[in-house]
Amino acid sequence: MKHINIFAISDSSGETAMQVAKTAGAQFESADISYERYPFITTESMLSGILKIAKQKEAVIFHTLVNADLSKLIEDFAIANNLQNVDCVQKPMKAISNQLGFNPERVSGLVHDLNDDYFKRIEAMEFSVENDDGSNPQNLTKADVVILGISRTSKTPLSLYLANKQVKVSNVPIGPTIQLPKEVFDVDPKKIIGLTSVTKDIQKIRKARMASYGIDEDTPYSNSKNIDEELEYANNLYHKLGCLIIDVHDKSIEETATVIMESLDLDSYQ
């Protein structure tokens, strides 16, 4: 049985995109289809993190984004990465607009499925975005999970994936030259996850990142010796904290998230 992943991305509850996807998917009974909903996506940074996961999982993307720029970002990303995507709102809006003779309001969330799961997911998404990349360290003790890791260990995409499962996440960048928030030591070590990897993988990702910005790939940021020092610092910190350490170099976002949820008994989250 062939398996595919379908992502429903929305700036609201995602119910419409999910329903369209499931209606279409129901016609393929011989296929194994996994559905994942990503609601309340309103910024480019949030969307980019989800698209990175979609690329890893070769997902088909159904989206209902009233923001034309975000919708185009998905279209362009899908074309560049050979992914299938279905815009469930822009084309219908355009058809109605053409018939009426005036433009739509383009206000997100005018149609909601306001149930408990929706509000829990939105709350987790808001928390994780507000506490991304070391922001608001005073909130670390309020998180369900605190993720630590050096640059390019996929902290943000992982945070968003977990937030979609109603898990409140704070993620904090660490390194020898980065001041560690003192609040980290106030968090229950059982709630802290330390991400590590291998130097060659981090270097490859960082060089690609620099190239995408049109910057010389060979910088201190991508220097293997510096990355070695960062990883050593991270692993020493994790042992000092007594937290769970996950090597992400051979794991997908989904696999890492599963390890986290199982280790913290969060598998009941949806």
Side-chain angles (χ1 to χ4, degrees):
M1 181 178 292
K2 190 169 183 179
H3 175 79
I4 68 167
N5 296 287
I6 293 181
F7 282 18
I9 303 175
S10 176
D11 48 26
S12 184
S13 70
E15 183 66 23
T16 299
M18 183 64 84
Q19 187 59 50
V20 172
K22 287 188 173 181
T23 299
Q27 300 302 314
F28 299 87
E29 294 183 353
S30 61
D32 176 27
I33 304 177
S34 296
Y35 298 90
E36 296 181 23
R37 186 189 311 192
Y38 291 90
F40 203 58
I41 305 305
T42 57
T43 67
E44 184 175 331
S45 61
M46 293 172 68
L47 181 56
S48 295
I50 294 167
L51 290 177
K52 180 178 179 180
I53 302 172
K55 179 181 178 181
Q56 291 178 345
K57 303 179 76 169
E58 299 182 340
V60 177
I61 303 170
F62 286 72
H63 51 105
T64 52
L65 297 167
V66 298
N67 183 309
D69 291 335
L70 294 182
S71 181
K72 187 176 186 304
L73 180 61
I74 293 180
E75 296 279 351
D76 292 344
F77 185 90
I79 292 172
N81 293 279
N82 197 31
L83 298 178
Q84 298 296 321
N85 85 99
V86 180
D87 187 335
C88 303
V89 70
Q90 292 294 330
K91 290 182 179 179
M93 279 200 307
K94 183 173 178 58
I96 295 172
S97 176
N98 289 342
Q99 185 68 22
L100 290 174
F102 56 84
N103 294 326
E105 299 296 334
R106 293 193 181 277
V107 177
S108 302
L110 292 182
V111 179
H112 285 311
D113 177 24
L114 301 178
N115 54 32
D116 288 343
D117 285 344
Y118 169 79
F119 285 113
K120 289 177 181 177
R121 189 174 286 110
I122 295 307
E123 183 181 6
M125 279 286 187
E126 288 180 330
F127 184 93
S128 300
V129 171
E130 291 171 0
N131 297 279
D132 179 51
D133 202 33
S135 299
N136 304 309
Q138 70 276 10
N139 291 333
L140 288 176
T141 56
K142 301 176 183 177
D144 295 319
V145 177
V146 174
I147 296 174
L148 306 180
I150 68 171
S151 176
R152 311 266 55 97
T153 47
S154 298
K155 295 184 298 298
T156 295
L158 179 58
S159 296
L160 291 173
Y161 185 91
L162 288 167
N164 188 49
K165 304 295 183 182
Q166 304 176 18
V167 180
K168 296 180 182 177
V169 185
S170 288
N171 76 73
V172 181
I174 60 173
T177 62
I178 300 175
Q179 183 174 356
L180 184 70
K182 64 181 187 302
E183 290 86 354
V184 167
F185 295 97
D186 296 327
V187 179
D188 182 348
K190 293 181 180 179
K191 292 186 175 184
I192 300 177
I193 304 297
L195 303 182
T196 189
S197 187
V198 296
T199 299
K200 66 177 182 178
D201 283 2
I202 296 295
Q203 184 180 45
K204 180 180 179 180
I205 297 170
R206 290 186 180 183
K207 283 188 173 184
R209 186 74 166 181
M210 294 300 96
S212 69
Y213 289 140
I215 302 174
D216 185 359
E217 295 180 12
D218 295 317
T219 66
Y221 180 63
S222 61
N223 179 271
S224 61
K225 182 179 178 181
N226 290 341
I227 296 173
D228 283 340
E229 292 176 355
E230 290 180 49
L231 289 172
E232 182 180 8
Y233 169 87
N235 289 320
N236 287 338
L237 174 62
Y238 302 155
H239 287 297
K240 180 178 180 181
L241 291 169
C243 66
L244 176 65
I245 303 173
I246 301 178
D247 188 337
V248 300
H249 92 275
D250 59 349
K251 291 183 176 62
S252 66
I253 297 294
E254 183 180 34
E255 288 172 328
T256 303
T258 298
V259 172
I260 292 173
M261 295 180 73
E262 289 180 349
S263 68
L264 300 179
D265 195 25
L266 297 176
D267 56 321
S268 60
Y269 284 58
Q270 300 296 323

